[in-house]
Amino acid sequence: MITRPSIYAKPISITTLISITSIMTVATILEKRYGTEFVAEHIYSSPVFISLWGIAGLSSMMYIIKKKLYKKLYIFTIHIAFAVILAGALVTHIKGEQGYIHLRKDSKCCYKFTTFDNRTIELPFRIKLEDFSIKNYPGTQSPMDYVSKVTIADNNTITEGCVSMNDILKYRNYRFYQSGFDEDKNGTTLSVYHDPYGIAITYSGYFLLLVGMIMFFLEKHSIFRKLIKSEYIRRVNLMLVMILSSLFSLSAKADVPQTVPSRIAEALGSLNLYYNGRICPLQTLALDFTKKVHGKTNYKGFTAEEVLAGCFFYYDDWKEEPFIRIKSKYVQSVLGTGEYACISDFVDINGFKLEKALQRTKNAVQRRELEEANEKFNITSMLCTGSLLKIFPVRDSVANSCKWYSVSEKPSLEMPHEKWMFLKYSMNYVSEHIYKKDFKEAEKIIGKIKEYQKKEAGEGIPGKFRIETERFYNSWNRIKLAAILCLSIGIGGFFYQIILVRKRRSTNTVTNKILTSGLYIIMAYTLSIIIMRGVISARFPIANGYETMLFMATTCFILTVVFKKHILGFTSFGYLTGGMALLVAMLGESNPAITPLMPVLSSPLLSIHVMTIMISYSLFAIMMLNGITAETMLYCKNDMKAEIKRLETISRILLYPAVFLLASGIFIGAIWANVSWGRYWGWDPKEVWALITMLIYSSALHSESLKIFSNTKFFHGFTIIAFLSVVITYFGVNFILGGMHSYA
């Protein structure tokens, strides 16, 4: 006999999950206005929200029992895994203790820590700070790690320990994380977490989920295996006909400002420079400067190095040159200029124009536009005065590191007189010879500066291979052109594919082979960019928005190469999805910086976390394009049912690995967060939206329970609309909602 609660298990489960998704959506919006603490206290930690999760878990398990789905071990394992994860989260919420402890080298042992809600909890042992130090990246002043050496006194036992970024100290189920330090470097702040049961339960749930997913793909009678064997999956090649023409216009070099000859500019570009927390060729700064200030990497036919040299050596010419791009109409009106402004346009007899405008305006948008223009002026001024050019390393033998001085900084009088004279006057000599048109002698002095850098900085300067790789990367990186080409081919091919299918023409032609070859070329190109960025930065290059979108584009190209023979129109899909990812990467590159990672981002778990989620997003994008194609076919005069059904089958096949990869990525990220920050879930907007995306797409996996997903037309429409959650997760959070993940 079926009990009444089990009858309502399905509608209760659906209703609660919809409610949870809606609440989380609203919470991320409220967090933007009222702050993280507000939503954490009033929404995520509220009894109602916690109860909804409990009801959803219980009702789902009741439905599984009612339908006897526990007989399918892989289904039961996956669902029980989520129940265990929720149980672990509940235990953490009830029993877990989180806070911080402040230690000083000159203080006694501490035996208490303060929770985040200002309660004081006594530790079962005492902890004392013995030493605190900051480790810098070799040859720089940029922090690489923060290290606190402590001793723990527990009864008659003294234990030594060390706490640093990504290297936590564990003792008697207490975990200590490096959180902050005092300005005098004699004190440290450690985060304290005590959750002996919740973490163990949650990690058990993660393990069960992994086992369940593996069992699903190995199960011979699973839905996924049936779809793979479907009669609709057969080898199909697509013919795309696309003729691309590019029109290039050359900027006239009439009435151009003065700059140095190209060989002098190249010599300057080869100098080493301390920039953005790392040592790199000066060429990199020149490219970033020109791109940020002017909007392009060249100006009136001048290279970025020539623009930089012109501003520095020929200031009188360049201060009247309108090369600073001002996008805002409001700022243009303040300066009295058009789209491009000169340095001199920012100042009049009354002083700095933007300062008064910043004082007057109360409009947030106008203030942001003024600040953007102000930043461009400041950067240009710093370059013209030489304060941006940190090219002189001075070794500190005690700290075994180098401090890099800019051209405008006054070196310490304590250093040897010969070195002091070289630092103070060498660039003046370069300028003097450039004014005299004695470029050969100027080039010699630049060479001497380079020799000085190698001698003084030593191993702090990256090896020749890394430097040459970066210089080649700077000249090889043409993401904008690649994005335009891919989108042109993708859009044209997408619509042409539909025409071919509607007219039932053959798609196996030489043109398709040519386009396939082009796909291999663009894939090799983006892969080479990723490899070069990895060599340059000495890390896996997926630490920011530009790099993750570049990785996503490459993933799209690889997936296209793998599946193009089995999926209708997949070549154009690859160009289109990869092109869109490259377009976003191109937009993010408008203010690029290849910088050392923060210590907390150096964990290999981060790379795995990002890769799995990016691959899942790529698969969701392919499903979305399949949906658009199918919806278009529905309005064809010819009978396209077979083709529409084939697209549905393909999307269903991709759905399972996409959802499982997303789930894996989320939980790998949770483990990384626990290792790095002491908590595996912090309700950050991107975490929340990734969870929302997983819940939305997971609903389509339950086509046997939710019959509406068995409807072909509805399923294709769902893949299109559901992709909006992916867009919000990645772009909406980054550019609108913000949060801890907004760098990615």
Side-chain angles (χ1 to χ4, degrees):
M1 181 178 178
I2 300 174
T3 61
R4 184 169 295 276
S6 63
I7 296 175
Y8 297 109
K10 177 179 173 180
I12 290 173
S13 179
I14 295 171
T15 303
T16 51
L17 287 173
I18 291 174
S19 300
I20 288 169
T21 304
S22 301
I23 290 172
M24 289 192 296
T25 302
V26 173
T28 57
I29 298 171
L30 292 175
E31 182 174 352
K32 179 69 176 178
R33 181 170 182 179
Y34 297 105
T36 304
E37 292 183 3
F38 176 85
V39 293
E41 180 181 352
H42 294 90
I43 297 179
Y44 298 133
S45 298
S46 67
V48 173
F49 188 69
I50 295 171
S51 299
L52 283 173
W53 278 110
I55 293 169
L58 289 172
S59 57
S60 298
M61 294 308 298
M62 289 176 65
Y63 182 76
I64 289 173
I65 294 170
K66 173 190 171 185
K67 292 292 184 179
K68 298 182 179 180
L69 295 177
Y70 51 81
K71 293 183 178 180
K72 296 180 179 179
L73 188 57
Y74 63 92
I75 292 179
F76 182 74
T77 304
I78 290 173
H79 286 82
I80 201 68
F82 282 107
V84 173
I85 292 169
L86 288 175
L90 181 62
V91 171
T92 296
H93 177 73
I94 297 172
K95 294 289 187 180
E97 297 170 339
Q98 303 178 7
Y100 62 91
I101 188 170
H102 182 251
L103 304 174
R104 295 279 302 178
K105 285 198 292 187
D106 51 3
S107 298
K108 296 180 180 180
C109 292
C110 188
Y111 58 92
K112 295 180 181 179
F113 72 93
T114 305
T115 64
F116 294 132
D117 56 358
N118 294 320
R119 292 182 295 112
T120 300
I121 297 179
E122 188 170 333
L123 293 167
F125 49 83
R126 296 188 177 188
I127 184 169
K128 185 179 187 301
L129 177 66
E130 300 296 338
D131 188 36
F132 175 81
S133 61
I134 300 177
K135 293 183 179 179
N136 296 327
Y137 284 95
T140 75
Q141 297 294 315
S142 296
M144 180 178 70
D145 207 353
Y146 308 98
V147 182
S148 298
K149 293 182 179 180
V150 300
T151 54
I152 295 176
D154 189 359
N155 295 326
N156 297 323
T157 304
I158 302 294
T159 304
E160 294 182 351
C162 184
V163 187
S164 63
M165 306 297 287
N166 284 340
D167 186 11
I168 64 176
L169 173 63
K170 299 178 182 177
Y171 189 82
R172 289 183 59 176
N173 292 321
Y174 284 85
R175 294 172 297 144
F176 297 90
Y177 299 76
Q178 185 63 51
S179 178
F181 59 92
D182 296 349
E183 288 186 10
D184 62 1
K185 300 178 184 177
N186 287 320
T188 187
T189 301
L190 306 178
S191 296
V192 185
Y193 293 88
H194 183 235
D195 184 19
Y197 308 111
I199 293 175
I201 296 171
T202 302
Y203 277 21
S204 299
Y206 294 165
F207 177 75
L208 281 174
L209 182 63
L210 176 63
V211 171
M213 290 190 292
I214 293 173
M215 291 170 63
F216 173 81
F217 286 112
L218 295 178
E219 174 59 44
K220 294 182 179 180
H221 303 293
S222 68
I223 298 174
F224 182 76
R225 284 295 187 93
K226 292 177 182 177
L227 289 168
I228 289 291
K229 297 176 182 178
S230 171
E231 59 177 327
Y232 296 106
I233 303 301
R234 62 176 184 268
R235 184 172 178 169
V236 180
N237 287 319
L238 171 69
M239 178 186 70
L240 300 174
V241 177
M242 192 70 189
I243 301 175
L244 298 174
S245 61
S246 302
L247 299 175
F248 297 95
S249 60
L250 297 176
S251 301
K253 292 198 72 173
D255 192 26
V256 294
Q258 289 191 78
T259 189
V260 298
S262 57
R263 76 172 191 272
I264 300 297
E266 289 177 8
L268 283 169
S270 67
L271 285 175
N272 295 300
L273 170 86
Y274 182 67
Y275 166 59
N276 264 353
R278 70 188 188 94
I279 300 168
C280 65
L282 190 143
Q283 178 196 49
T284 300
L285 168 63
L287 285 165
D288 285 359
F289 168 80
T290 310
K291 191 182 301 179
K292 187 179 187 70
V293 173
H294 180 60
K296 299 178 182 178
T297 55
N298 55 71
Y299 175 70
K300 288 189 176 181
F302 292 132
T303 65
E305 294 101 313
E306 289 170 338
V307 172
L308 181 143
C311 289
F312 182 70
F313 293 113
Y314 296 99
Y315 172 73
D316 289 339
D317 257 25
W318 283 80
K319 73 177 182 180
E320 302 298 335
E321 186 66 22
F323 73 101
I324 303 175
R325 189 184 180 200
I326 306 297
K327 294 183 286 186
S328 165
K329 296 291 184 183
Y330 170 70
V331 179
Q332 290 175 19
S333 67
V334 172
L335 296 176
T337 66
E339 185 179 358
Y340 293 95
C342 312
I343 297 173
S344 59
D345 288 329
F346 287 80
V347 182
D348 60 13
I349 57 174
N350 296 315
F352 189 52
K353 295 178 182 179
L354 297 184
E355 183 178 358
K356 294 182 179 179
L358 281 165
Q359 291 173 352
R360 289 194 308 265
T361 185
K362 295 182 180 179
N363 184 294
V365 175
Q366 291 179 350
R367 175 171 288 276
R368 186 172 66 248
E369 292 170 346
L370 287 167
E371 288 172 349
E372 181 182 341
N374 185 44
E375 182 186 17
K376 290 185 177 182
F377 173 80
N378 287 331
I379 290 172
T380 307
S381 299
M382 289 172 67
L383 173 62
C384 294
T385 59
S387 61
L388 202 61
L389 304 177
K390 293 192 173 185
I391 60 173
F392 296 116
V394 175
R395 175 162 294 280
D396 183 344
S397 57
V398 177
N400 193 29
S401 65
C402 282
K403 180 179 179 180
W404 288 69
Y405 287 86
S406 71
V407 173
S408 62
E409 284 182 277
K410 293 182 179 179
S412 172
L413 293 172
E414 296 178 358
M415 68 176 62
H417 180 70
E418 185 179 345
K419 183 188 292 186
W420 185 89
M421 290 287 290
F422 184 80
L423 266 62
K424 186 172 182 179
Y425 294 112
S426 56
M427 281 303 288
N428 291 342
Y429 293 148
V430 174
S431 299
E432 183 180 333
H433 288 293
I434 286 175
Y435 292 149
K436 294 178 180 178
K437 306 295 182 182
D438 187 359
F439 298 117
K440 187 175 182 180
E441 191 63 30
E443 193 172 0
K444 283 184 181 179
I445 300 173
I446 293 171
K448 289 181 180 180
I449 294 174
K450 195 169 184 178
E451 290 176 6
Y452 166 82
Q453 290 179 334
K454 292 179 180 178
K455 180 181 178 181
E456 192 71 13
E459 295 180 357
I461 294 178
K464 183 178 179 180
F465 178 72
R466 278 179 63 184
I467 292 292
E468 290 303 317
T469 299
E470 182 160 358
R471 289 178 60 79
F472 181 75
Y473 168 87
N474 289 336
S475 61
W476 179 251
N477 185 15
R478 294 292 182 270
I479 291 297
K480 181 178 180 179
L481 178 61
I484 293 171
L485 285 173
C486 286
L487 286 173
S488 300
I489 297 172
I491 293 170
F494 178 70
F495 288 107
Y496 191 75
Q497 162 215 328
I498 296 173
I499 294 172
L500 289 177
V501 173
R502 289 181 65 175
K503 294 184 177 181
R504 298 185 181 279
R505 292 183 181 178
S506 172
T507 58
N508 189 15
T509 65
V510 175
T511 306
N512 185 55
K513 294 179 181 179
I514 294 173
L515 292 174
T516 301
S517 299
L519 195 66
Y520 279 102
I521 292 171
I522 191 66
M523 180 184 71
Y525 172 75
T526 55
L527 194 58
S528 69
I529 294 293
I530 290 174
I531 292 171
M532 283 190 285
R533 286 185 71 96
V535 171
I536 293 165
S537 57
R539 57 172 170 79
F540 199 88
I542 49 173
N544 53 46
Y546 171 78
E547 292 175 346
T548 52
M549 292 313 297
L550 188 62
F551 179 82
M552 183 175 180
T554 307
T555 301
C556 290
F557 297 138
I558 293 172
L559 290 173
T560 304
V561 168
V562 173
F563 292 109
K564 64 182 176 62
K565 294 182 180 180
H566 306 285
I567 301 178
L568 180 68
F570 208 58
T571 304
S572 62
F573 286 174
Y575 276 111
L576 193 56
T577 54
M580 288 189 291
L582 289 177
L583 178 65
V584 177
M586 179 192 75
L587 296 174
E589 198 192 19
S590 60
N591 187 17
I594 308 172
T595 57
L597 279 177
M598 294 186 300
V600 75
L601 300 180
S602 299
S603 170
L605 287 174
L606 170 63
S607 301
I608 301 171
H609 162 65
V610 175
M611 281 191 293
T612 53
I613 288 183
M614 285 295 105
I615 293 171
S616 73
Y617 288 171
S618 300
L619 294 175
F620 289 141
I622 294 169
M623 291 168 57
M624 179 267 294
L625 291 172
N626 270 351
I628 293 175
T629 304
E631 292 291 338
T632 305
M633 289 178 178
L634 288 170
Y635 298 97
C636 293
K637 294 180 180 179
N638 297 327
D639 184 8
M640 309 293 292
K641 290 182 180 179
E643 287 80 3
I644 293 171
K645 189 66 177 177
R646 184 181 300 114
L647 289 172
E648 179 194 0
T649 305
I650 292 166
S651 291
R652 289 191 185 278
I653 289 174
L654 298 178
L655 177 65
Y656 288 93
V659 172
F660 288 168
L661 282 170
L662 178 58
S664 300
I666 289 172
F667 296 126
I668 290 170
I671 295 172
W672 166 56
N674 190 48
V675 170
S676 301
W677 295 313
R679 56 104 182 105
Y680 51 83
W681 195 261
W683 296 108
D684 181 75
K686 182 156 282 192
E687 291 176 345
V688 173
W689 270 100
L691 180 59
I692 290 172
T693 301
M694 188 185 77
L695 291 175
I696 289 173
Y697 277 100
S698 295
S699 62
L701 298 177
H702 299 79
S703 55
E704 293 183 1
S705 303
L706 304 173
K707 298 297 182 182
I708 193 169
F709 283 103
S710 299
N711 182 289
T712 300
K713 184 177 180 180
F714 176 84
F715 179 78
H716 283 305
F718 167 81
T719 60
I720 299 170
I721 297 172
F723 192 71
L724 290 174
S725 66
V726 176
V727 174
I728 295 173
T729 302
Y730 194 86
F731 303 108
V733 171
N734 285 3
F735 301 114
I736 300 174
L737 299 177
M740 193 180 298
H741 285 76
S742 58
Y743 59 83

